[in-house]
Amino acid sequence: MNRTNPKYREHLRRLDRVWVREPVYFVTTCTRGRVRILDNPSAYASCVEVWEKGQELHGWQVGRYVVMPDHVHFFCAPEPGAKDLKVFVGKWKEWTAKFLNRRLGASVPLWQEEFFDHLLRSHESYAQKWDYVQQNPVRAGLAAGCDDWPYQGCLNDLRVEEAL
């Protein structure tokens, strides 16, 4: 698009109005090779334990989450002075792998290198994402209802404000 075009300049003016002061991210990460290893008490405990420690060490709060057999969905928000999201998720993956390998007596790579993140911009998108995530075990045939899946929860009540 031509930068002298008024529509281009109008688009740029809109961009400065989209700002989220207290961002909440939706994160998804998968096991390497989509190996089904996470739907057990040891893996679940490892995920939650490292999320709880992540707030202290990296400045990230984790809200709602669902641990599926081969992937994890969670919502998280940075505190002032938090480390970068990539650092937080990378350390979380590193330490869950160490804890789980230790608990299972294994030594295998656990996670894919990449992860997916999405910045939530409104309460509506948070509610929509949570509904989708919470229904995951039901859609996969792992639970009759979303409340029947034992590997889900909420560590912090994260609020999503409207984007300016």
Side-chain angles (χ1 to χ4, degrees):
M1 178 176 266
N2 184 344
R3 293 177 188 248
T4 59
N5 183 324
K7 288 190 180 220
Y8 178 80
R9 282 188 249 126
E10 181 181 324
H11 173 72
L12 289 178
R13 281 195 303 269
R14 270 198 329 267
L15 289 178
D16 68 359
R17 286 183 270 143
V18 179
W19 178 257
V20 180
R21 281 177 283 186
E22 297 177 359
V24 173
Y25 292 89
F26 170 64
V27 175
T28 300
T29 191
C30 300
T31 58
R32 185 171 296 207
R34 299 298 295 253
V35 174
R36 300 171 62 93
I37 192 172
L38 301 175
D39 56 341
N40 63 74
S42 290
Y44 177 74
S46 296
C47 290
V48 173
E49 186 177 344
V50 180
W51 277 324
E52 288 172 338
K53 203 68 172 158
Q55 185 170 349
E56 177 187 328
L57 295 175
H58 307 293
W60 283 84
Q61 293 184 358
V62 171
R64 294 174 171 172
Y65 59 87
V66 173
V67 178
M68 294 292 290
D70 63 353
H71 66 281
V72 175
H73 298 288
F74 63 95
F75 297 88
C76 59
E79 296 176 337
K83 294 182 180 168
D84 187 71
L85 177 63
K86 185 176 180 176
V87 171
F88 165 62
V89 174
K91 288 296 183 184
W92 177 80
K93 288 164 72 172
E94 176 186 339
W95 283 98
T96 54
K98 286 180 182 180
F99 284 11
L100 190 55
N101 277 326
R102 193 175 310 141
R103 289 173 179 165
L104 297 178
S107 180
V108 297
L110 180 58
W111 301 107
Q112 289 180 355
E113 286 186 31
E114 300 82 22
F115 67 92
F116 168 81
D117 66 278
H118 175 75
L119 174 64
L120 301 178
R121 296 201 174 149
S122 70
H123 175 71
E124 181 180 357
S125 68
Y126 182 91
Q128 289 170 343
K129 288 283 189 206
W130 175 242
D131 184 55
Y132 169 80
V133 168
Q134 193 177 33
Q135 291 295 326
N136 239 0
V138 177
R139 282 191 306 274
L142 300 171
C146 53
D147 292 333
D148 298 328
W149 184 245
Y151 307 116
Q152 65 174 320
C154 182
L155 297 177
N156 295 283
D157 185 20
L158 303 180
R159 302 286 177 181
V160 178
E161 65 179 45
E162 292 295 322
L164 301 174

mmCIF file of all heavy atoms in Angstrom, residues 108-147:
data_model
loop_
_atom_site.group_PDB
_atom_site.id
_atom_site.type_symbol
_atom_site.label_atom_id
_atom_site.label_comp_id
_atom_site.label_asym_id
_atom_site.label_seq_id
_atom_site.Cartn_x
_atom_site.Cartn_y
_atom_site.Cartn_z
ATOM 1 N N VAL A 108 13.674 -37.969 28.130
ATOM 2 C CA VAL A 108 13.251 -37.731 26.752
ATOM 3 C C VAL A 108 12.839 -36.266 26.591
ATOM 4 O O VAL A 108 12.368 -35.639 27.536
ATOM 5 C CB VAL A 108 12.058 -38.647 26.371
ATOM 6 C CG1 VAL A 108 12.463 -40.105 26.428
ATOM 7 C CG2 VAL A 108 10.871 -38.411 27.281
ATOM 8 N N PRO A 109 13.008 -35.715 25.388
ATOM 9 C CA PRO A 109 12.504 -34.362 25.147
ATOM 10 C C PRO A 109 10.980 -34.371 25.289
ATOM 11 O O PRO A 109 10.310 -35.273 24.783
ATOM 12 C CB PRO A 109 12.909 -34.066 23.709
ATOM 13 C CG PRO A 109 13.944 -35.077 23.358
ATOM 14 C CD PRO A 109 13.673 -36.269 24.217
ATOM 15 N N LEU A 110 10.442 -33.392 25.970
ATOM 16 C CA LEU A 110 9.008 -33.374 26.232
ATOM 17 C C LEU A 110 8.240 -32.467 25.275
ATOM 18 O O LEU A 110 7.178 -32.832 24.782
ATOM 19 C CB LEU A 110 8.753 -32.933 27.679
ATOM 20 C CG LEU A 110 7.303 -32.864 28.132
ATOM 21 C CD1 LEU A 110 6.601 -34.202 27.990
ATOM 22 C CD2 LEU A 110 7.219 -32.365 29.566
ATOM 23 N N TRP A 111 8.756 -31.270 25.014
ATOM 24 C CA TRP A 111 7.991 -30.250 24.307
ATOM 25 C C TRP A 111 8.516 -29.949 22.905
ATOM 26 O O TRP A 111 9.714 -30.024 22.667
ATOM 27 C CB TRP A 111 8.016 -28.938 25.094
ATOM 28 C CG TRP A 111 7.460 -29.060 26.456
ATOM 29 C CD1 TRP A 111 8.169 -29.060 27.636
ATOM 30 C CD2 TRP A 111 6.093 -29.195 26.831
ATOM 31 N NE1 TRP A 111 7.313 -29.188 28.697
ATOM 32 C CE2 TRP A 111 6.035 -29.275 28.234
ATOM 33 C CE3 TRP A 111 4.906 -29.257 26.107
ATOM 34 C CZ2 TRP A 111 4.835 -29.412 28.930
ATOM 35 C CZ3 TRP A 111 3.708 -29.397 26.808
ATOM 36 C CH2 TRP A 111 3.692 -29.479 28.196
ATOM 37 N N GLN A 112 7.606 -29.550 22.021
ATOM 38 C CA GLN A 112 8.005 -28.949 20.760
ATOM 39 C C GLN A 112 8.679 -27.619 21.085
ATOM 40 O O GLN A 112 8.404 -27.013 22.113
ATOM 41 C CB GLN A 112 6.785 -28.663 19.876
ATOM 42 C CG GLN A 112 6.136 -29.878 19.308
ATOM 43 C CD GLN A 112 4.938 -29.533 18.431
ATOM 44 O OE1 GLN A 112 4.527 -28.388 18.309
ATOM 45 N NE2 GLN A 112 4.378 -30.556 17.809
ATOM 46 N N GLU A 113 9.560 -27.158 20.215
ATOM 47 C CA GLU A 113 10.265 -25.906 20.466
ATOM 48 C C GLU A 113 9.331 -24.704 20.463
ATOM 49 O O GLU A 113 9.450 -23.819 21.290
ATOM 50 C CB GLU A 113 11.368 -25.698 19.429
ATOM 51 C CG GLU A 113 12.560 -26.600 19.646
ATOM 52 C CD GLU A 113 13.688 -26.275 18.699
ATOM 53 O OE1 GLU A 113 13.839 -25.102 18.319
ATOM 54 O OE2 GLU A 113 14.421 -27.204 18.337
ATOM 55 N N GLU A 114 8.408 -24.654 19.531
ATOM 56 C CA GLU A 114 7.551 -23.491 19.384
ATOM 57 C C GLU A 114 6.369 -23.551 20.338
ATOM 58 O O GLU A 114 6.065 -24.583 20.903
ATOM 59 C CB GLU A 114 7.004 -23.389 17.951
ATOM 60 C CG GLU A 114 8.055 -23.256 16.887
ATOM 61 C CD GLU A 114 8.664 -24.593 16.473
ATOM 62 O OE1 GLU A 114 8.016 -25.641 16.689
ATOM 63 O OE2 GLU A 114 9.775 -24.596 15.972
ATOM 64 N N PHE A 115 5.692 -22.404 20.458
ATOM 65 C CA PHE A 115 4.410 -22.347 21.139
ATOM 66 C C PHE A 115 3.580 -21.278 20.451
ATOM 67 O O PHE A 115 4.096 -20.439 19.735
ATOM 68 C CB PHE A 115 4.564 -22.069 22.639
ATOM 69 C CG PHE A 115 5.107 -20.705 22.983
ATOM 70 C CD1 PHE A 115 4.263 -19.632 23.232
ATOM 71 C CD2 PHE A 115 6.475 -20.492 23.065
ATOM 72 C CE1 PHE A 115 4.763 -18.380 23.556
ATOM 73 C CE2 PHE A 115 6.997 -19.248 23.383
ATOM 74 C CZ PHE A 115 6.139 -18.188 23.630
ATOM 75 N N PHE A 116 2.293 -21.343 20.647
ATOM 76 C CA PHE A 116 1.369 -20.381 20.065
ATOM 77 C C PHE A 116 0.920 -19.438 21.175
ATOM 78 O O PHE A 116 0.573 -19.891 22.260
ATOM 79 C CB PHE A 116 0.155 -21.113 19.479
ATOM 80 C CG PHE A 116 -0.980 -20.191 19.114
ATOM 81 C CD1 PHE A 116 -0.973 -19.494 17.917
ATOM 82 C CD2 PHE A 116 -2.039 -20.018 19.980
ATOM 83 C CE1 PHE A 116 -2.012 -18.640 17.587
ATOM 84 C CE2 PHE A 116 -3.083 -19.164 19.661
ATOM 85 C CZ PHE A 116 -3.066 -18.474 18.460
ATOM 86 N N ASP A 117 0.938 -18.132 20.900
ATOM 87 C CA ASP A 117 0.390 -17.184 21.869
ATOM 88 C C ASP A 117 -0.525 -16.206 21.163
ATOM 89 O O ASP A 117 -0.318 -15.874 19.999
ATOM 90 C CB ASP A 117 1.494 -16.448 22.628
ATOM 91 C CG ASP A 117 2.317 -15.548 21.742
ATOM 92 O OD1 ASP A 117 3.237 -16.055 21.071
ATOM 93 O OD2 ASP A 117 2.052 -14.333 21.727
ATOM 94 N N HIS A 118 -1.537 -15.769 21.877
ATOM 95 C CA HIS A 118 -2.507 -14.820 21.343
ATOM 96 C C HIS A 118 -2.816 -13.797 22.429
ATOM 97 O O HIS A 118 -3.169 -14.166 23.547
ATOM 98 C CB HIS A 118 -3.790 -15.560 20.933
ATOM 99 C CG HIS A 118 -4.881 -14.663 20.481
ATOM 100 N ND1 HIS A 118 -4.877 -14.042 19.255
ATOM 101 C CD2 HIS A 118 -6.011 -14.268 21.105
ATOM 102 C CE1 HIS A 118 -5.965 -13.315 19.149
ATOM 103 N NE2 HIS A 118 -6.673 -13.420 20.254
ATOM 104 N N LEU A 119 -2.672 -12.527 22.103
ATOM 105 C CA LEU A 119 -3.003 -11.450 23.035
ATOM 106 C C LEU A 119 -4.506 -11.254 23.029
ATOM 107 O O LEU A 119 -5.104 -10.996 21.978
ATOM 108 C CB LEU A 119 -2.305 -10.155 22.614
ATOM 109 C CG LEU A 119 -2.659 -8.904 23.407
ATOM 110 C CD1 LEU A 119 -2.234 -9.041 24.865
ATOM 111 C CD2 LEU A 119 -2.011 -7.689 22.773
ATOM 112 N N LEU A 120 -5.119 -11.381 24.188
ATOM 113 C CA LEU A 120 -6.562 -11.178 24.298
ATOM 114 C C LEU A 120 -6.852 -9.696 24.394
ATOM 115 O O LEU A 120 -6.164 -8.960 25.095
ATOM 116 C CB LEU A 120 -7.108 -11.908 25.524
ATOM 117 C CG LEU A 120 -6.866 -13.408 25.534
ATOM 118 C CD1 LEU A 120 -7.411 -14.021 26.808
ATOM 119 C CD2 LEU A 120 -7.479 -14.071 24.324
ATOM 120 N N ARG A 121 -7.898 -9.271 23.698
ATOM 121 C CA ARG A 121 -8.194 -7.835 23.644
ATOM 122 C C ARG A 121 -9.514 -7.457 24.266
ATOM 123 O O ARG A 121 -9.855 -6.300 24.309
ATOM 124 C CB ARG A 121 -8.169 -7.370 22.203
ATOM 125 C CG ARG A 121 -6.782 -7.532 21.631
ATOM 126 C CD ARG A 121 -6.573 -6.666 20.462
ATOM 127 N NE ARG A 121 -5.179 -6.780 20.078
ATOM 128 C CZ ARG A 121 -4.759 -6.666 18.859
ATOM 129 N NH1 ARG A 121 -5.595 -6.386 17.897
ATOM 130 N NH2 ARG A 121 -3.493 -6.786 18.590
ATOM 131 N N SER A 122 -10.290 -8.397 24.734
ATOM 132 C CA SER A 122 -11.551 -8.042 25.378
ATOM 133 C C SER A 122 -12.011 -9.202 26.246
ATOM 134 O O SER A 122 -11.581 -10.336 26.085
ATOM 135 C CB SER A 122 -12.624 -7.718 24.339
ATOM 136 O OG SER A 122 -13.020 -8.896 23.663
ATOM 137 N N HIS A 123 -12.939 -8.881 27.143
ATOM 138 C CA HIS A 123 -13.524 -9.912 27.999
ATOM 139 C C HIS A 123 -14.195 -10.978 27.140
ATOM 140 O O HIS A 123 -14.133 -12.163 27.435
ATOM 141 C CB HIS A 123 -14.516 -9.295 28.976
ATOM 142 C CG HIS A 123 -15.232 -10.309 29.793
ATOM 143 N ND1 HIS A 123 -14.589 -11.013 30.786
ATOM 144 C CD2 HIS A 123 -16.493 -10.776 29.742
ATOM 145 C CE1 HIS A 123 -15.441 -11.878 31.330
ATOM 146 N NE2 HIS A 123 -16.600 -11.738 30.710
ATOM 147 N N GLU A 124 -14.810 -10.549 26.051
ATOM 148 C CA GLU A 124 -15.494 -11.482 25.168
ATOM 149 C C GLU A 124 -14.528 -12.510 24.593
ATOM 150 O O GLU A 124 -14.809 -13.696 24.581
ATOM 151 C CB GLU A 124 -16.185 -10.725 24.042
ATOM 152 C CG GLU A 124 -16.937 -11.634 23.101
ATOM 153 C CD GLU A 124 -17.614 -10.881 21.975
ATOM 154 O OE1 GLU A 124 -17.538 -9.640 21.956
ATOM 155 O OE2 GLU A 124 -18.210 -11.542 21.116
ATOM 156 N N SER A 125 -13.359 -12.094 24.145
ATOM 157 C CA SER A 125 -12.420 -13.054 23.577
ATOM 158 C C SER A 125 -11.890 -14.004 24.648
ATOM 159 O O SER A 125 -11.649 -15.159 24.381
ATOM 160 C CB SER A 125 -11.277 -12.355 22.843
ATOM 161 O OG SER A 125 -10.439 -11.669 23.725
ATOM 162 N N TYR A 126 -11.741 -13.523 25.894
ATOM 163 C CA TYR A 126 -11.316 -14.393 26.990
ATOM 164 C C TYR A 126 -12.372 -15.466 27.223
ATOM 165 O O TYR A 126 -12.061 -16.654 27.309
ATOM 166 C CB TYR A 126 -11.098 -13.565 28.260
ATOM 167 C CG TYR A 126 -10.605 -14.355 29.438
ATOM 168 C CD1 TYR A 126 -9.237 -14.507 29.670
ATOM 169 C CD2 TYR A 126 -11.479 -14.943 30.334
ATOM 170 C CE1 TYR A 126 -8.770 -15.217 30.758
ATOM 171 C CE2 TYR A 126 -11.022 -15.652 31.422
ATOM 172 C CZ TYR A 126 -9.667 -15.791 31.636
ATOM 173 O OH TYR A 126 -9.209 -16.509 32.701
ATOM 174 N N ALA A 127 -13.643 -15.040 27.301
ATOM 175 C CA ALA A 127 -14.729 -15.989 27.543
ATOM 176 C C ALA A 127 -14.821 -17.002 26.402
ATOM 177 O O ALA A 127 -15.015 -18.202 26.640
ATOM 178 C CB ALA A 127 -16.050 -15.244 27.716
ATOM 179 N N GLN A 128 -14.680 -16.531 25.163
ATOM 180 C CA GLN A 128 -14.739 -17.434 24.019
ATOM 181 C C GLN A 128 -13.591 -18.434 24.037
ATOM 182 O O GLN A 128 -13.788 -19.626 23.799
ATOM 183 C CB GLN A 128 -14.709 -16.643 22.714
ATOM 184 C CG GLN A 128 -15.982 -15.881 22.438
ATOM 185 C CD GLN A 128 -15.831 -14.920 21.271
ATOM 186 O OE1 GLN A 128 -14.727 -14.579 20.857
ATOM 187 N NE2 GLN A 128 -16.951 -14.466 20.741
ATOM 188 N N LYS A 129 -12.382 -17.956 24.318
ATOM 189 C CA LYS A 129 -11.219 -18.849 24.363
ATOM 190 C C LYS A 129 -11.371 -19.870 25.487
ATOM 191 O O LYS A 129 -11.065 -21.051 25.308
ATOM 192 C CB LYS A 129 -9.920 -18.069 24.568
ATOM 193 C CG LYS A 129 -9.478 -17.284 23.375
ATOM 194 C CD LYS A 129 -8.859 -18.168 22.335
ATOM 195 C CE LYS A 129 -8.237 -17.317 21.250
ATOM 196 N NZ LYS A 129 -8.182 -18.012 19.988
ATOM 197 N N TRP A 130 -11.826 -19.413 26.668
ATOM 198 C CA TRP A 130 -11.968 -20.332 27.792
ATOM 199 C C TRP A 130 -13.020 -21.387 27.481
ATOM 200 O O TRP A 130 -12.827 -22.569 27.771
ATOM 201 C CB TRP A 130 -12.293 -19.616 29.091
ATOM 202 C CG TRP A 130 -12.554 -20.589 30.192
ATOM 203 C CD1 TRP A 130 -13.704 -20.750 30.894
ATOM 204 C CD2 TRP A 130 -11.653 -21.590 30.706
ATOM 205 N NE1 TRP A 130 -13.581 -21.778 31.800
ATOM 206 C CE2 TRP A 130 -12.330 -22.299 31.708
ATOM 207 C CE3 TRP A 130 -10.345 -21.939 30.402
ATOM 208 C CZ2 TRP A 130 -11.738 -23.348 32.418
ATOM 209 C CZ3 TRP A 130 -9.750 -22.987 31.108
ATOM 210 C CH2 TRP A 130 -10.448 -23.673 32.098
ATOM 211 N N ASP A 131 -14.137 -20.996 26.888
ATOM 212 C CA ASP A 131 -15.172 -21.964 26.533
ATOM 213 C C ASP A 131 -14.602 -23.014 25.590
ATOM 214 O O ASP A 131 -14.813 -24.214 25.767
ATOM 215 C CB ASP A 131 -16.377 -21.253 25.909
ATOM 216 C CG ASP A 131 -17.502 -22.227 25.617
ATOM 217 O OD1 ASP A 131 -17.943 -22.933 26.557
ATOM 218 O OD2 ASP A 131 -17.944 -22.296 24.452
ATOM 219 N N TYR A 132 -13.860 -22.565 24.576
ATOM 220 C CA TYR A 132 -13.237 -23.489 23.627
ATOM 221 C C TYR A 132 -12.273 -24.444 24.349
ATOM 222 O O TYR A 132 -12.308 -25.662 24.146
ATOM 223 C CB TYR A 132 -12.499 -22.706 22.541
ATOM 224 C CG TYR A 132 -11.620 -23.580 21.686
ATOM 225 C CD1 TYR A 132 -12.162 -24.339 20.642
ATOM 226 C CD2 TYR A 132 -10.249 -23.677 21.928
ATOM 227 C CE1 TYR A 132 -11.357 -25.149 19.869
ATOM 228 C CE2 TYR A 132 -9.443 -24.493 21.151
ATOM 229 C CZ TYR A 132 -9.999 -25.225 20.129
ATOM 230 O OH TYR A 132 -9.191 -26.040 19.370
ATOM 231 N N VAL A 133 -11.423 -23.895 25.197
ATOM 232 C CA VAL A 133 -10.410 -24.687 25.897
ATOM 233 C C VAL A 133 -11.062 -25.679 26.858
ATOM 234 O O VAL A 133 -10.699 -26.854 26.904
ATOM 235 C CB VAL A 133 -9.430 -23.765 26.655
ATOM 236 C CG1 VAL A 133 -8.556 -24.540 27.611
ATOM 237 C CG2 VAL A 133 -8.574 -22.986 25.677
ATOM 238 N N GLN A 134 -12.022 -25.213 27.610
ATOM 239 C CA GLN A 134 -12.668 -26.070 28.598
ATOM 240 C C GLN A 134 -13.425 -27.224 27.939
ATOM 241 O O GLN A 134 -13.541 -28.301 28.521
ATOM 242 C CB GLN A 134 -13.619 -25.235 29.467
ATOM 243 C CG GLN A 134 -14.079 -25.952 30.690
ATOM 244 C CD GLN A 134 -14.955 -25.088 31.562
ATOM 245 O OE1 GLN A 134 -15.694 -24.249 31.091
ATOM 246 N NE2 GLN A 134 -14.870 -25.307 32.860
ATOM 247 N N GLN A 135 -13.902 -27.024 26.722
ATOM 248 C CA GLN A 135 -14.623 -28.069 25.998
ATOM 249 C C GLN A 135 -13.686 -29.070 25.301
ATOM 250 O O GLN A 135 -14.141 -30.095 24.804
ATOM 251 C CB GLN A 135 -15.551 -27.433 24.952
ATOM 252 C CG GLN A 135 -16.716 -26.672 25.548
ATOM 253 C CD GLN A 135 -17.680 -27.578 26.290
ATOM 254 O OE1 GLN A 135 -17.891 -28.732 25.916
ATOM 255 N NE2 GLN A 135 -18.243 -27.068 27.366
ATOM 256 N N ASN A 136 -12.400 -28.782 25.277
ATOM 257 C CA ASN A 136 -11.433 -29.649 24.594
ATOM 258 C C ASN A 136 -11.526 -31.121 25.010
ATOM 259 O O ASN A 136 -11.586 -31.999 24.153
ATOM 260 C CB ASN A 136 -10.019 -29.123 24.826
ATOM 261 C CG ASN A 136 -9.304 -28.778 23.553
ATOM 262 O OD1 ASN A 136 -9.819 -28.907 22.469
ATOM 263 N ND2 ASN A 136 -8.074 -28.331 23.702
ATOM 264 N N PRO A 137 -11.517 -31.433 26.310
ATOM 265 C CA PRO A 137 -11.597 -32.850 26.702
ATOM 266 C C PRO A 137 -12.911 -33.507 26.275
ATOM 267 O O PRO A 137 -12.939 -34.699 25.965
ATOM 268 C CB PRO A 137 -11.483 -32.811 28.225
ATOM 269 C CG PRO A 137 -10.886 -31.492 28.541
ATOM 270 C CD PRO A 137 -11.307 -30.561 27.461
ATOM 271 N N VAL A 138 -13.988 -32.744 26.233
ATOM 272 C CA VAL A 138 -15.285 -33.282 25.808
ATOM 273 C C VAL A 138 -15.253 -33.592 24.312
ATOM 274 O O VAL A 138 -15.636 -34.687 23.886
ATOM 275 C CB VAL A 138 -16.424 -32.292 26.150
ATOM 276 C CG1 VAL A 138 -17.766 -32.817 25.655
ATOM 277 C CG2 VAL A 138 -16.465 -32.014 27.654
ATOM 278 N N ARG A 139 -14.760 -32.629 23.514
ATOM 279 C CA ARG A 139 -14.663 -32.844 22.066
ATOM 280 C C ARG A 139 -13.759 -34.031 21.736
ATOM 281 O O ARG A 139 -13.984 -34.739 20.762
ATOM 282 C CB ARG A 139 -14.133 -31.587 21.373
ATOM 283 C CG ARG A 139 -15.160 -30.494 21.199
ATOM 284 C CD ARG A 139 -14.658 -29.390 20.280
ATOM 285 N NE ARG A 139 -13.388 -28.828 20.689
ATOM 286 C CZ ARG A 139 -13.244 -27.839 21.577
ATOM 287 N NH1 ARG A 139 -14.280 -27.312 22.157
ATOM 288 N NH2 ARG A 139 -12.052 -27.398 21.891
ATOM 289 N N ALA A 140 -12.731 -34.240 22.549
ATOM 290 C CA ALA A 140 -11.788 -35.342 22.305
ATOM 291 C C ALA A 140 -12.308 -36.680 22.829
ATOM 292 O O ALA A 140 -11.641 -37.701 22.682
ATOM 293 C CB ALA A 140 -10.439 -35.020 22.950
ATOM 294 N N GLY A 141 -13.480 -36.680 23.468
ATOM 295 C CA GLY A 141 -14.048 -37.917 24.001
ATOM 296 C C GLY A 141 -13.377 -38.382 25.284
ATOM 297 O O GLY A 141 -13.490 -39.546 25.660
ATOM 298 N N LEU A 142 -12.689 -37.492 25.975
ATOM 299 C CA LEU A 142 -11.974 -37.852 27.205
ATOM 300 C C LEU A 142 -12.809 -37.634 28.461
ATOM 301 O O LEU A 142 -12.468 -38.140 29.524
ATOM 302 C CB LEU A 142 -10.689 -37.026 27.309
ATOM 303 C CG LEU A 142 -9.695 -37.216 26.166
ATOM 304 C CD1 LEU A 142 -8.568 -36.195 26.262
ATOM 305 C CD2 LEU A 142 -9.146 -38.637 26.176
ATOM 306 N N ALA A 143 -13.881 -36.865 28.354
ATOM 307 C CA ALA A 143 -14.734 -36.570 29.497
ATOM 308 C C ALA A 143 -16.159 -36.345 29.010
ATOM 309 O O ALA A 143 -16.373 -35.847 27.898
ATOM 310 C CB ALA A 143 -14.228 -35.328 30.232
ATOM 311 N N ALA A 144 -17.130 -36.719 29.846
ATOM 312 C CA ALA A 144 -18.537 -36.533 29.477
ATOM 313 C C ALA A 144 -18.921 -35.052 29.510
ATOM 314 O O ALA A 144 -19.665 -34.574 28.672
ATOM 315 C CB ALA A 144 -19.431 -37.332 30.422
ATOM 316 N N GLY A 145 -18.390 -34.343 30.492
ATOM 317 C CA GLY A 145 -18.646 -32.908 30.626
ATOM 318 C C GLY A 145 -17.351 -32.201 30.953
ATOM 319 O O GLY A 145 -16.393 -32.819 31.443
ATOM 320 N N CYS A 146 -17.319 -30.887 30.722
ATOM 321 C CA CYS A 146 -16.057 -30.163 30.936
ATOM 322 C C CYS A 146 -15.611 -30.184 32.399
ATOM 323 O O CYS A 146 -14.416 -30.158 32.670
ATOM 324 C CB CYS A 146 -16.143 -28.747 30.393
ATOM 325 S SG CYS A 146 -17.527 -27.794 30.977
ATOM 326 N N ASP A 147 -16.546 -30.280 33.335
ATOM 327 C CA ASP A 147 -16.157 -30.327 34.748
ATOM 328 C C ASP A 147 -15.648 -31.701 35.177
ATOM 329 O O ASP A 147 -15.138 -31.864 36.284
ATOM 330 C CB ASP A 147 -17.336 -29.916 35.637
ATOM 331 C CG ASP A 147 -17.691 -28.447 35.481
ATOM 332 O OD1 ASP A 147 -16.792 -27.654 35.129
ATOM 333 O OD2 ASP A 147 -18.863 -28.095 35.699
#
